[in-house]
Amino acid sequence: TWGGEEPLLLAELKPGRPHQFDWKSSCETWSVAFSPDGSWFAWSQGHCIVKLIPWPLEEQFIPKGFEAKSRSSKSDTRGRGSPKEKTLDCGQIVWGLAFSPWPSPPSRKLWARHHPQGPDVSCLILATGLNDGQIKIWEVQTGLLLFNLSGHQDVVRDLSFTPSGSLILVSASRDKTLRIWDLNKHGKQIQVLSGHLQWVYCCSISPDCSMLCSAAGEKSVFLWSMRSYTLIRKLEGHQSSVVSCDFSPDSALLVTASYDTNVIMWDPYTGERLRSLHHTQLDPTMDDSDVHMSSLRSVCFSPEGLYLATVADDRLLRIWALELKAPIAFAPMTNGLCCTFFPHGGVIATGTRDGHVQFWTAPRVLSSLKHLCRKALRSFLTTYQVLALPIPKKMKEFLTYRTF
């Protein structure tokens, strides 16, 4: 377990302002993302710009005393051929970002066989969702634009790649639809998912690639099948708009965050609500009746699946342990919009309304053997399959996260 030290600010990156920007451009950092292998960080720093930064950060960004902890031994081998920071000018305000997983070798061979002239998508790619409904697909290593995906009629708010490396991309838009694209087929649109009545804010694909969760400005959350692209169920329980969602690393849990100041933890297989994490005011000078102060903006799971990070309008980054109903640590952050964990743990990145990115220390945890077994089993067993096992009831409760 984690000793509960408060997160410390490791570094803060601020966008440069080299020339006078058009007054219509916005400066918010709507999205931050790490590549799944942890080698790149991207942030939409406002004014149509996305910054791509090799990770770990260069020494000049990191305060003294943190170098050893935050830099991996691999970074010492960076020579002259090391990756360089890149600036992608997207021509439109950037709302959503997603890195592809590293493609598996078979898809490379397939691609080469069927598309000898086609773009090489055997590289790490970054998808950017834009204000005009376009999605631009970039090659990370070179910073080159590979292609555009057109179809959405309004802002593309969120993007998510299937974690399997199949290069299926899901996009969520203010046009109230989600769209599924196949980047192995020149970005062909393969499905439009309709049903939301409000802007779609967030989409998240389960790590086992079986489910897709989407949250719009509605009280219910939609769960879709990634196999048939049909609606499995609606999750009802929030009292206000749901704005963020994330699956646990073993796909056994789903968390949703809402303007109603709650995070709800669900069993996505049964639709059961397992627990609620309520965000209460810490500052006694703030009036607790002003519920908007605790409106949530973002929620994400830690890579080992034992912690959550949340960003709310009450100027706090909170870290929660799954088994506890109260946060175990807080950090003060103003105007937070989004948060994400570094894929190998130890760091949380947050984005703010003024275009900044902050990096915070996060719990580096040694999972119990019990949890590691649960995670391994739940990666391929649904809740119903666990309940059908000939094992004691207490073990079933643990494996289905009813107990910790």
Side-chain angles (χ1 to χ4, degrees), residues 107-125:
S107 68
R108 290 183 200 188
K109 288 181 197 133
L110 266 174
W111 179 269
R113 202 163 61 232
H114 295 304
H115 310 275
Q117 270 72 54
D120 174 21
V121 193
S122 63
C123 50
L124 181 64
I125 55 182

Side-chain angles (χ1 to χ4, degrees), residues 25-42:
S25 288
S26 70
C27 65
E28 292 91 349
T29 292
W30 290 112
S31 292
V32 289
F34 286 102
S35 62
D37 68 343
S39 63
W40 289 90
F41 175 75

Side-chain angles (χ1 to χ4, degrees), residues 346-365:
V347 176
I348 298 169
T350 54
T352 70
R353 277 193 186 280
D354 40 23
H356 296 194
V357 173
Q358 293 145 343
F359 299 99
W360 307 86
T361 54
R364 277 195 186 277
V365 193

Side-chain angles (χ1 to χ4, degrees), residues 9 37 44 51 77 160 195 217 230 235 258 273 276 367 370 398:
L9 186 62
D37 68 343
S44 58
K51 267 279 192 275
T77 59
S160 191
T230 52
L235 301 174
S258 163
R273 182 175 162 166
S276 283
S367 302
K370 251 173 35 167
F398 177 77

Side-chain angles (χ1 to χ4, degrees), residues 100-158:
S100 67
W102 279 102
S104 47
S107 68
R108 290 183 200 188
K109 288 181 197 133
L110 266 174
W111 179 269
R113 202 163 61 232
H114 295 304
H115 310 275
Q117 270 72 54
D120 174 21
V121 193
S122 63
C123 50
L124 181 64
I125 55 182
L126 178 73
T128 54
L130 308 184
N131 205 56
D132 62 354
Q134 294 238 32
I135 300 164
K136 286 188 190 284
I137 306 295
W138 307 82
E139 183 179 358
V140 172
Q141 297 295 344
T142 60
L144 294 174
L145 181 64
L146 292 178
F147 42 87
N148 280 308
L149 307 179
S150 301
H152 281 298
Q153 307 302 307
D154 206 338
V155 168
V156 176
R157 183 65 187 87
D158 197 21

Side-chain angles (χ1 to χ4, degrees), residues 200-222:
V200 192
Y201 286 120
C202 182
C203 58
S204 179
I205 300 172
S206 61
D208 68 1
C209 300
S210 69
M211 295 171 283
L212 165 68
C213 176
S214 60
E218 300 157 355
K219 295 177 187 176
S220 56
V221 180
F222 286 24

